[in-house]
Amino acid sequence: QFPLVHLRSENNDLYENMNEFDSIPNVVYIIVEGLSDAYVNEYRGMKLMPFLNELKDESMYWSSCLTLGERSFAVVGSSLGGLPYGDLGFTLLNRYPRHHSLVNLLGSKGFQTSFYTGQASWFHKNGDFFHHNNVDKVYDQTDFGEEFSQRKIIVGDDRFFWGYNDKDLFKLSLAQLNTSSKQPYFMTFFTGSTHSPFVISDGAYYSQKLQLFKNKNNADFISSNEKYLRTILFADDAIRDFIESYKKRDDYENTIFIITGD
């Protein structure tokens, strides 16, 4: 009669599989645009994300999840707060009803909170959502300094400034951590290199890398989707570089990393 009503299990597999921290852990939450479990594994004979493929074997890994949203406009509200997206997405509401999210809950517990995106924070009104949740700082394309000026993503005949790629996004965050972070902290990232218009730096390098996967079974597929597929290779390298850089930090062992698709 009530198919959604069930008794809560006494088992807590998540807790039992985690080691206890000596102090309150930091949390780094990475939303990867367009990430699919198919790419994390071998896809049409290609390992497009070799780093994440290895990482899943030494991490807690879910191959499939239920979601409240269907596309990137819904992921921030649904994954950080379990919030319904309605017709357009929770973040796109003109007025927000009272709600909880990891941002305001952890913020109330003394966490320093931040949101990082390489594009404009007004996109999908993500910046509005984080500010409403009392985030300490939002970083977007307006916060990249002169050292990134030659790596802007410019697209189309109208020379539209799309933002910055994922590698630069993570570099910016590490620089900010070194200068302004207090612990514990909760960082949220929303990557963008695997989003249309699928423009990356070092495009020629990743096109060449993609050709190494070609065989008679996937050659046509790769040729037809090269612009998109090479961004997956790029995104995997960006996450790898970020994690490898993070391992050099004193707080690495006291940090939980959560990586999910949008």
Side-chain angles (χ1 to χ4, degrees):
Q1 187 178 1
F2 303 106
L4 299 182
V5 175
H6 64 281
L7 292 175
R8 184 178 182 274
S9 171
E10 293 299 319
N11 296 324
N12 192 333
D13 294 334
L14 181 63
Y15 180 79
E16 291 172 357
N17 281 282
M18 295 185 72
N19 297 322
E20 189 169 336
F21 286 87
D22 295 329
S23 58
I24 298 173
N26 308 303
V27 181
V28 176
Y29 189 81
I30 305 174
I31 302 170
V32 182
E33 172 69 42
L35 180 65
S36 167
D37 182 67
Y39 306 142
V40 175
N41 295 282
E42 191 168 297
Y43 181 69
R44 291 179 178 249
M46 300 178 284
K47 283 191 176 180
L48 295 170
M49 302 191 109
F51 176 74
L52 288 186
N53 182 270
E54 292 183 10
L55 190 65
K56 70 175 175 55
D57 294 332
E58 56 188 62
S59 308
M60 299 186 70
Y61 168 64
W62 288 266
S63 60
S64 58
C65 304
L66 293 175
T67 176
L68 291 173
E70 57 181 288
R71 287 169 52 205
S72 39
F73 65 77
V75 65
V76 168
S78 64
S79 69
L80 293 179
L83 301 167
Y85 74 93
D87 291 333
L88 296 174
F90 189 90
T91 63
L92 294 172
L93 292 172
N94 292 323
R95 294 181 61 190
Y96 297 131
R98 291 186 63 183
H99 61 274
H100 290 302
S101 74
L102 287 174
V103 184
N104 58 37
L105 288 174
L106 292 179
S108 71
K109 297 296 183 181
F111 280 70
Q112 177 175 293
T113 57
S114 57
F115 172 60
Y116 287 86
T117 177
Q119 287 67 56
S121 59
W122 53 255
F123 193 52
H124 293 150
K125 295 180 69 174
N126 287 324
D128 289 350
F129 174 85
F130 278 92
H131 285 305
H132 187 85
N133 280 267
N134 299 317
V135 74
D136 290 314
K137 177 64 178 175
V138 169
Y139 296 91
D140 71 357
Q141 62 184 23
T142 64
D143 293 288
F144 288 76
E146 183 63 29
E147 66 269 30
F148 298 101
S149 61
Q150 301 302 313
R151 295 172 64 82
K152 291 181 177 180
I153 303 298
I154 307 295
V155 296
D157 295 334
D158 57 353
R159 307 291 295 164
F160 176 70
F161 174 35
W162 166 247
Y164 294 87
N165 66 62
D166 295 348
K167 290 185 179 181
D168 291 335
L169 172 65
F170 291 128
K171 286 179 182 177
L172 173 70
S173 71
L174 288 168
Q176 294 297 328
L177 268 179
N178 290 332
T179 58
S180 63
S181 69
K182 64 177 182 178
Q183 296 189 33
Y185 52 80
F186 175 59
M187 305 167 66
T188 302
F189 291 87
F190 201 155
T191 71
S193 292
T194 42
H195 189 288
S196 173
F198 308 117
V199 177
I200 55 175
S201 54
D202 310 318
Y205 167 78
Y206 285 97
S207 289
Q208 187 176 14
K209 194 174 180 180
L210 191 60
Q211 303 310 308
L212 299 177
F213 292 113
K214 272 191 175 181
N215 58 49
K216 63 180 181 180
N217 296 320
N218 64 20
D220 290 342
F221 177 78
I222 290 177
S223 297
S224 300
N225 298 279
E226 177 181 335
K227 188 176 182 180
Y228 172 63
L229 291 173
R230 68 183 187 178
T231 69
I232 302 175
L233 296 169
F234 180 89
D236 188 64
D237 278 355
I239 298 171
R240 180 203 63 200
D241 294 348
F242 177 61
I243 298 294
E244 292 302 320
S245 295
Y246 223 105
K247 287 181 178 178
K248 301 174 184 177
R249 295 179 52 84
D250 293 338
D251 57 358
Y252 170 73
E253 293 292 344
N254 201 53
T255 302
I256 298 173
F257 295 86
I258 302 171
I259 303 174
T260 183
D262 66 330

